Amino acid sequence: MSRTLDWYDGHIRLTDQRRLPEHHQQLDITTVDELIDAITTLAVRGAPALGIAGAFGVALSAARHTASGGLDTQAVQADADRISRSRPTAVNLSRGVARALSVLHRGADAVLAEAQALLDEDERINRAAARHAADHLLETTTRRPLRVLTHCNTGSLATGAWGTALGAIRDLHNRGLIEEVLATETRPLLQGARLTVWELQQDGITVRLCPDGAAASAVQAGAIDCVVVGADRVTDNGDVANKIGTYPLALTAARHGVPFVVVAPQSTVDEATPTGAGIPIEQRGPDEVTSLAGKRTAPLGTKVYNPAFDVTPHELVSAVVTEHGVREPETGAAELADLLASRTAVVSGFPSPGVTFLDLAGVYSHPGLLRTAAREIVHRARGRFNAVVGVEARGFVLASVVAAETGLPLVLARKPGKTPGKTESACYRSEYSSDALEVPVGMLGAEHSVLVVDDVLATGGTLAAARSVVEACGATVARYAVLTEIAALNGAARLAPVPVDVLRTVMAELRAVPEGKRP
């Protein structure tokens, strides 16, 4: 692909993003002051592109401050500091500057060579990250071709070439697997409307422009299969700083069980910053909000809150994808398992002699724990199901919360004689009884990929029966989810090859808890 910024005849040449889409013009940058102006006014923007621009800025300074007496490293360092401070949120800018400075002792030619190496690496890195992201999206969604929602601009304009999130969309398009892209306007500077729509149209990819305020409605209406965005910084724990408006999209995606995937180069991952609380958020001028295309849209004297970025907590992110592959953020699974264990009683000889019973009443009575468990289940199975089946009786409790978290239909698999009308049924034998499950005819069909939810996995008989009755309805079981698995009974093997999401596994021999000691 053609590069949107490069080194040309002793200066930086870049596409002036302020003039798109009306005019596709090149801007020649000959001084550090011109570069800082281009960065702050968004003639050049996008985390990877800023990193490249920063490195070339150091090369400009090094060339200027080289004379017969040698290189003035202090002057170059001062210019480099000014460049790094021009946009503080995107970590790539400071890293590009630092990389160029790392060879400053070898002279101006070495600095330029390092900046050009960074540019040369950019497309290769972006293509690798985009390919990983495209593969991941195909693994975590079921509908083909895909309907993708994206925010801001993450294409060749935001990088040296190809793009990050938009690169993943290009990769999927080249495979014939994109039905449509819904691109947000990205107010107040309209990077989505001006830049992303323009790039997608250039590539012949079907795109519709969406007001920022309508994006949640599109997800709620079932018009979106996944949300794919870029990043300006990813912290050590997986929190993501990106263009303002990203956080509400992540909330919406989590609410409706839609994958929310971040695509960015590894250079965007800032392991030195533990959490998003440590990311500096750039505040921009009020004119960006109080006027549009030079025309005032708000009364004189209007006070403005105009952050350029927001931070999305890691628990709302399905995956961060870099050129090295897929990184799924930590979800606190160990802590959740410990909390489930502390609220579970083990009762021997109930409901019949020789049977060990896991009493989860303490889990259900703990404020917030059930919702936390349901959200973890949704996180693990996100995008892989479009209906929830709860198994009688205790499975109803967890399944109801999972369905409420995702906004997806809930179907109850009940014991015989409790469901009116015509039903599909399947018999099973558990560790202490024989029974059957029934589902009303017409509640499930071929269009449904089902998440079957129960509280405990023991021998697997109940969940196997649930699969039988789901399949009798013409639907498919995509996954199982349980709070606790008794591993010694090997129930998961009976359910293979369908995966089982387990929040807590009991490995050791169970011991009964006296009646008075139950949580």
Side-chain angles (χ1 to χ4, degrees):
M1 297 186 67
S2 61
R3 290 173 169 175
T4 55
L5 76 163
D6 208 339
W7 186 263
Y8 179 79
D9 195 23
H11 61 267
I12 305 169
R13 176 167 288 178
L14 55 87
T15 299
D16 190 344
Q17 299 186 38
R18 299 167 300 188
R19 298 183 177 275
L20 287 169
E22 294 90 352
H23 305 288
H24 189 192
Q25 295 183 358
Q26 301 301 308
L27 181 65
D28 289 331
I29 305 293
T30 60
T31 68
V32 169
D33 287 341
E34 290 175 354
L35 176 62
I36 291 173
D37 180 71
I39 291 172
T40 56
T41 62
L42 278 68
V44 58
R45 43 146 299 280
L50 288 174
I52 298 166
F56 278 137
V58 177
L60 274 178
S61 179
R64 176 185 176 186
H65 291 293
T66 298
S68 57
L71 176 62
D72 186 347
T73 57
Q74 288 186 340
V76 176
Q77 181 66 62
D79 282 343
D81 290 343
R82 290 197 297 133
I83 295 169
S84 293
R85 291 195 302 267
S86 59
R87 295 205 74 189
T89 301
V91 71
N92 297 67
L93 176 57
S94 60
R95 285 187 167 175
V97 168
R99 177 165 168 177
L101 284 174
S102 69
V103 296
L104 184 60
H105 62 284
R106 290 162 44 192
D109 289 343
V111 173
L112 177 58
E114 195 68 21
Q116 289 176 317
L118 180 60
L119 173 61
D120 292 339
E121 292 169 8
D122 179 77
E123 183 175 351
R124 174 182 58 79
I125 287 172
N126 288 339
R127 284 183 179 272
R131 182 174 64 255
H132 290 312
D135 290 343
H136 178 71
L137 288 168
L138 294 175
E139 291 172 0
T140 55
T141 57
T142 56
R143 190 182 185 278
R144 302 289 182 270
L146 288 171
R147 302 161 303 171
V148 182
L149 173 65
T150 193
H151 185 60
C152 196
N153 173 260
T154 56
S156 58
L157 291 168
T159 62
W162 193 247
T164 53
L166 215 59
I169 291 171
R170 286 188 166 112
D171 189 294
L172 290 165
H173 170 72
N174 290 341
R175 306 187 203 184
L177 294 173
I178 289 289
E179 177 177 317
E180 178 183 68
V181 177
L182 202 63
T184 57
E185 291 176 299
T186 323
R187 290 182 176 273
L189 296 181
L190 303 176
Q191 294 96 327
R194 295 187 301 105
L195 307 178
T196 297
V197 172
W198 180 80
E199 284 202 55
L200 291 170
Q201 288 178 344
Q202 298 296 306
D203 288 346
I205 300 174
T206 301
V207 57
R208 278 195 293 171
L209 182 62
C210 174
D212 289 5
S217 295
V219 177
Q220 182 186 48
I224 297 300
D225 301 308
C226 54
V227 180
V228 186
V229 300
D232 288 87
R233 189 184 301 221
V234 180
T235 61
D236 186 54
N237 75 331
D239 293 347
V240 175
N242 195 48
K243 183 57 57 184
I244 190 71
T246 302
Y247 177 41
L249 289 179
L251 287 169
T252 299
R255 172 67 178 82
H256 295 284
V258 171
F260 182 91
V261 175
V262 174
V263 189
Q266 184 64 34
S267 59
T268 305
V269 178
D270 179 15
E271 296 177 349
T273 301
T275 72
I279 300 176
I281 299 298
E282 176 188 351
Q283 297 288 331
R284 297 186 63 83
D287 289 348
E288 294 178 352
V289 178
T290 58
S291 62
L292 181 64
K295 182 179 180 180
R296 178 167 291 279
T297 57
L300 285 171
T302 299
K303 294 181 179 180
V304 169
Y305 174 65
N306 186 23
F309 305 93
D310 57 26
V311 176
T312 297
H314 64 275
E315 59 265 24
L316 297 178
V317 178
S318 304
V320 174
V321 186
T322 72
E323 67 270 26
H324 300 312
V326 179
R327 168 187 172 182
E328 296 187 349
E330 297 295 327
T331 58
E335 294 82 359
L336 178 57
D338 289 344
L339 190 53
L340 290 171
S342 71
R343 303 293 300 182
T344 301
V346 181
V347 185
S348 63
F350 181 85
S352 58
V355 174
T356 299
F357 181 78
L358 294 183
D359 186 0
L360 275 71
V363 173
Y364 302 144
S365 66
H366 186 281
L369 179 54
L370 193 59
R371 171 170 284 186
T372 299
R375 287 177 174 171
E376 175 66 10
I377 286 170
V378 171
H379 174 79
R380 296 188 188 188
R382 184 177 299 175
R384 299 177 176 92
F385 65 102
N386 58 18
V388 180
V389 167
V391 178
E392 189 170 353
R394 295 176 298 170
F396 288 176
V397 181
L398 180 59
S400 297
V401 184
V402 170
E405 284 292 316
T406 58
L408 294 174
L410 171 64
V411 178
L412 303 180
R414 306 203 66 182
K415 302 293 179 64
K418 297 183 178 181
T419 303
K422 189 175 181 181
T423 62
E424 297 287 356
S425 65
C427 298
Y428 68 95
R429 179 167 183 81
S430 70
E431 61 272 29
Y432 53 82
S433 67
S434 297
D435 219 322
L437 293 175
E438 296 181 342
V439 168
V441 170
M443 295 292 287
L444 294 171
E447 70 276 17
H448 290 116
S449 295
V450 174
L451 174 69
V452 177
V453 178
D454 204 356
D455 62 340
V456 175
L457 168 59
T459 64
T462 306
L463 290 177
R467 179 169 63 185
S468 296
V469 74
V470 166
E471 292 175 347
C473 295
T476 301
V477 173
R479 298 178 84 82
Y480 300 98
V482 296
L483 290 174
T484 301
E485 175 192 15
I486 305 174
L489 298 179
N490 204 26
R494 184 172 182 177
L495 305 176
V498 179
V500 185
D501 292 317
V502 177
L503 301 190
R504 178 198 173 211
T505 300
V506 178
M507 301 296 296
E509 181 181 354
L510 297 176
R511 297 179 181 177
V513 176
E515 183 77 23
K517 300 294 185 180
R518 298 185 195 179

